[in-house]
């Protein structure tokens, strides 16, 4: 009887930990909060901003190299892309 109660308590505790830990572990890095600043860098440099710009900035949250590659494909100067992608990858 005691082992059944112990198993139920253990299962309940495991479920609580899972409910709390999973959202924290799967949250996106920086929660895209630096993306608008990346977009601003591109816009302030005189480039037109659209969905591809926002996507490149979002990519920069996790990978500066991929971000810069996307901007290169859009025709953004390397120095502008570098700064914007570094901004996107910073933690708020």
């Amino acid at each position: 009887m005691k082992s059944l109660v112990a198993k139920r308590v253990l299962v309940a505790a495991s479920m609580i930990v899972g409910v709390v830990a999973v959202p924290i572990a799967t949250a996106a890095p920086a929660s895209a909060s630096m993306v608008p600043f990346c977009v601003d860098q591109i816009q302030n440099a005189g480039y037109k901003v659209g969905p591809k710009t926002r996507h490149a900035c979002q990519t920069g949250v996790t990978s500066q190299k991929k971000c810069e590659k996307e901007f290169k494909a859009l025709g953004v100067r390397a120095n502008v892309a570098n700064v914007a992608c570094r901004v996107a990858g910073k933690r708020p």
Side-chain angles (χ1 to χ4, degrees), residues 14-24:
S14 297
M15 290 175 69
I16 291 170
V17 169
V19 167
V20 172
V22 170
I24 293 170

Side-chain angles (χ1 to χ4, degrees), residues 28-69:
S31 298
S33 61
M34 296 305 287
V35 170
F37 297 103
C38 171
V39 172
D40 288 346
Q41 289 289 324
I42 300 299
Q43 190 169 24
N44 291 341
Y47 293 96
K48 184 179 176 182
V49 171
K52 291 180 182 178
T53 302
R54 289 182 190 84
H55 183 270
C57 285
Q58 183 63 45
T59 301
V61 172
T62 56
S63 174
Q64 184 173 342
K65 284 186 177 185
K66 288 180 182 178
C67 174
E68 289 181 19
K69 186 176 178 179

